[in-house]
């Protein structure tokens, strides 16, 4: 069974600086998708970025980018120019490309604190 | 505005009572999902539905039931058989099971 691990329960960063959140996963599959979701204090889950395993190029969305290392099964999220609005829980999630239920497997989350 | 709505935002229940959480979407998505979130944990899948009148159990379906009579609606009933129902419940939908999931604002259920 697939698992997702986020080893950093909490991270803090100074406003305007860069922070990297870690995520590792375990799978025997070769085709899958990886996601980072953000959950602010409102608790609404918001998709930040997605990565297809078959793509070598790392996904980027404005100030958010990933470092996808398929062989190492690592999928870290880099947030550049951190803003106060980035403060939230960040969850890494995995989804098989072949599993018929398309279930998302979630990490336990990392709480990101932005220091003004 | 297109989106997913969940109601109520906060819900209190006495032990032994069944309670139904509402989830509605106007995104014309085929697939809908229910997750449970406990403190310090990731989301866990309760039930999902990829098409009207069909749904499947997730990892923690015991003590819960769902229906999918309309494409827009996927209500979740928390029954008295659920031993520890106090949690935050999130509903999600996606165009199909292959696509990104979009989430509603959630319902916080507390059993008194």
């Amino acid at each position: 069974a697939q698992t997702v691990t986020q080893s950093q329960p909490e991270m803090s960063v100074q406003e305007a600086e860069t922070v990297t959140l870690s995520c590792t996963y375990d799978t025997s599959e070769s085709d899958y998708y990886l996601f980072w979701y953000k959950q602010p204090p409102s608790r609404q889950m918001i998709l930040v970025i997605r990565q297809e395993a078959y793509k070598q190029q790392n996904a980027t969305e404005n100030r958010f980018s990933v470092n996808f290392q398929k062989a190492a099964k690592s999928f870290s999220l880099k947030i550049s120019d951190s803003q106060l609005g980035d403060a939230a829980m960040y969850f890494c999630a995995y989804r098989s490309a072949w599993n018929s239920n398309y279930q998302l497997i979630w990490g336990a989350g990392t709480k990101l604190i932005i220091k003004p | 505005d297109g989106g997913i709505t969940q109601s109520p935002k906060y819900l209190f229940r006495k032990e032994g009572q069944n309670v139904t959480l509402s989830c509605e979407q106007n995104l014309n998505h085929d697939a809908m999902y229910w997750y449970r979130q406990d403190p310090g944990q990731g989301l866990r899948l309760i039930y999902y539905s990829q098409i009207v009148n069909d749904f499947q159990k997730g990892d923690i379906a015991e003590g819960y039931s769902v229906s999918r009579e309309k494409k827009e609606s996927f209500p979740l009933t928390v029954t008295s058989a659920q031993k520890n129902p106090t949690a935050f419940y999130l509903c999600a939908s996606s165009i199909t099971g292959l696509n990104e999931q979009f989430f509603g604002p959630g319902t916080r259920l507390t059993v008194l």
Side-chain angles (χ1 to χ4, degrees):
Chain A
Q2 295 86 12
T3 59
V4 176
T5 302
Q6 292 179 251
S7 59
Q8 306 154 317
E10 186 174 298
M11 291 280 287
S12 62
V13 63
Q14 206 71 36
E15 190 177 6
E17 293 187 348
T18 295
V19 63
T20 299
L21 309 184
S22 301
C23 173
T24 59
Y25 57 94
D26 188 26
T27 185
S28 59
E29 298 175 332
S30 60
D31 199 9
Y32 48 86
Y33 301 88
L34 295 164
F35 306 86
W36 277 100
Y37 279 87
K38 169 185 177 181
Q39 189 178 39
S42 67
R43 304 201 74 177
Q44 176 130 22
M45 199 70 75
I46 302 164
L47 178 66
V48 175
I49 201 165
R50 67 174 270 171
Q51 174 80 43
E52 292 88 348
Y54 64 86
K55 289 186 177 179
Q56 292 186 345
Q57 187 173 6
N58 289 324
T60 300
E61 287 288 344
N62 300 315
R63 296 183 296 107
F64 299 87
S65 61
V66 298
N67 183 6
F68 173 49
Q69 301 289 330
K70 191 172 184 179
K73 297 180 182 175
S74 171
F75 182 61
S76 61
L77 175 70
K78 186 172 84 171
I79 306 174
S80 304
D81 186 25
S82 299
Q83 301 175 1
L84 294 177
D86 294 334
M89 286 290 295
Y90 286 81
F91 292 92
C92 178
Y94 168 102
R95 195 191 75 213
S96 167
W98 303 109
N99 190 319
S100 61
N101 72 13
Y102 307 114
Q103 179 176 341
L104 282 170
I105 310 298
W106 296 79
T110 296
K111 182 178 182 180
L112 179 62
I113 298 168
I114 310 294
K115 298 177 182 177
Chain B
D1 281 322
I4 305 171
T5 57
Q6 291 185 243
S7 61
K9 188 172 183 178
Y10 299 97
L11 188 56
F12 297 90
R13 188 195 93 175
K14 293 182 180 179
E15 277 194 42
Q17 289 181 338
N18 292 355
V19 64
T20 298
L21 282 59
S22 169
C23 178
E24 304 276 335
Q25 54 96 2
N26 61 3
L27 300 168
N28 201 33
H29 287 176
D30 283 322
M32 296 187 75
Y33 312 80
W34 273 106
Y35 291 93
R36 171 179 170 140
Q37 186 177 27
D38 293 286
Q41 296 187 34
L43 279 65
R44 292 183 290 168
L45 183 66
I46 304 172
Y47 269 97
Y48 66 99
S49 168
Q50 295 195 49
I51 197 167
V52 175
N53 292 322
D54 187 49
F55 49 82
Q56 285 79 41
K57 294 181 179 180
D59 294 331
I60 56 166
E62 185 176 350
Y64 299 97
S65 66
V66 294
S67 63
R68 186 84 188 278
E69 297 176 1
K70 298 187 298 182
K71 188 175 185 178
E72 302 80 18
S73 179
F74 191 42
L76 173 74
T77 296
V78 184
T79 74
S80 57
Q82 170 49 233
K83 299 304 179 187
N84 185 22
T86 294
F88 187 64
Y89 291 87
L90 282 161
C91 177
S93 71
S94 59
I95 297 174
T96 70
L98 289 168
N99 301 93
E100 288 91 284
Q101 295 179 20
F102 296 90
F103 286 80
T107 293
R108 172 69 184 176
L109 173 64
T110 302
V111 174
L112 303 172

